[in-house]
Amino acid sequence: MLTRRLGLSDEDGRIAVALGIGAGIGAIFAAPLGGAVLAASITYRDDFDYRSLLPGFITSGTAYAVLGAFLGFDPLFGYIDAEYRFERAWPLLWFVVIGLVAAAVGYLYARIFHASVALTRRLPGGSVIKPTVGGLLVGLLGLLIPQILSSGYGWAQLAADRGSLMSIPLWIIVVLPIAKIIATSLSIGTGGSGGLFGPGIVIGAFVGAAVWRLGELSGIPGVPTHRESSWWWA
């Protein structure tokens, strides 16, 4: 609406919409840098708009500052380890491992979601029947893995604490990222209401948790243990 009132071109209007989305995400999830990157990529499926990146940092940072001025600047999932200090470089190697695994899972997330959307369009049924069937399938999957239901932020919070994480069965931690991808695709991909950013947080949290649990279980050298572990995968 503002783009029309201001007489902006279609290209500038598209950028303005992307900046607004990125600013909202950056403020709500207390991730201004992530909001800026989202603004530069959300209007494209397989590309990146570098022209939106710098304005995205400004709009997302401003939105985060305004929201924080009223609600505070505490992290979304609290402080994982407020006393942590970066003193050794070797954990960076494990950050690379987590980054590569997370990138692969993120790519799988996008592929499965877009495949579910394409499949839904070819299936018979209206805009009510399709998401209803998708919700039914999510409910059945939730009977097996209840952690996929709702936002999942509570489970992500538990995964950030070593004691809570160790109480979750290993197979749940390993399977949950894929199960959450499937549940999101079945619900939103079939026409349901919701977003993809929130589930991505839960998926990423358990990808990191799975890498750590499997690494510790395998006895791989250099995997942080005990007190170090709480900040390592978060």
Side-chain angles (χ1 to χ4, degrees):
M1 183 178 67
L2 288 177
T3 59
R4 294 179 180 178
R5 288 186 175 275
L6 295 175
L8 299 179
S9 64
D10 292 342
E11 182 178 358
D12 290 337
R14 184 178 66 251
I15 293 176
V17 171
L19 293 177
I21 295 173
I25 292 296
I28 293 172
F29 290 95
L33 298 182
V37 174
L38 177 67
S41 60
I42 195 169
T43 56
Y44 296 94
R45 180 173 178 176
D46 299 311
D47 204 350
F48 195 85
D49 189 356
Y50 294 95
R51 296 169 300 176
S52 300
L53 190 58
L54 181 57
F57 285 125
I58 298 173
T59 56
S60 185
T62 301
Y64 172 63
V66 172
L67 183 66
F70 289 94
L71 301 181
F73 294 94
D74 290 339
L76 182 62
F77 297 111
Y79 293 96
I80 304 301
D81 190 348
E83 299 180 358
Y84 169 70
R85 298 294 183 272
F86 182 78
E87 298 175 347
R88 291 173 291 179
W90 62 262
L92 294 177
L93 297 176
W94 284 107
F95 295 159
V96 172
V97 173
I98 292 179
L100 292 174
V101 176
V105 174
Y107 176 78
L108 184 66
Y109 183 16
R111 297 292 295 181
I112 292 178
F113 176 77
H114 288 300
S116 68
V117 173
L119 178 61
T120 300
R121 290 174 179 172
R122 293 195 296 266
L123 293 176
S127 58
V128 175
I129 299 299
K130 292 180 181 180
T132 300
V133 174
L136 175 62
L137 295 176
V138 171
L140 294 175
L141 182 59
L143 293 176
L144 178 63
I145 310 176
Q147 290 83 356
I148 67 168
L149 301 176
S150 188
S151 67
Y153 293 159
W155 289 105
Q157 183 72 61
L158 291 176
D161 178 75
R162 186 181 191 278
S164 300
L165 179 64
M166 296 302 291
S167 66
I168 303 175
L170 179 60
W171 75 270
I172 290 289
I173 296 174
V174 174
V175 171
L176 186 57
I178 304 301
K180 189 68 174 178
I181 290 174
I182 295 174
T184 303
S185 300
L186 288 174
S187 56
I188 303 175
T190 56
S193 178
L196 299 176
F197 192 87
I201 293 178
V202 180
I203 293 167
F206 276 89
V207 165
V211 171
W212 177 74
R213 283 290 301 271
L214 292 175
E216 185 187 49
L217 186 64
S218 303
I220 299 177
V223 176
T225 58
H226 302 293
R227 186 180 181 280
E228 294 178 310
S229 60
S230 62
W231 57 264
W232 181 71
W233 69 80

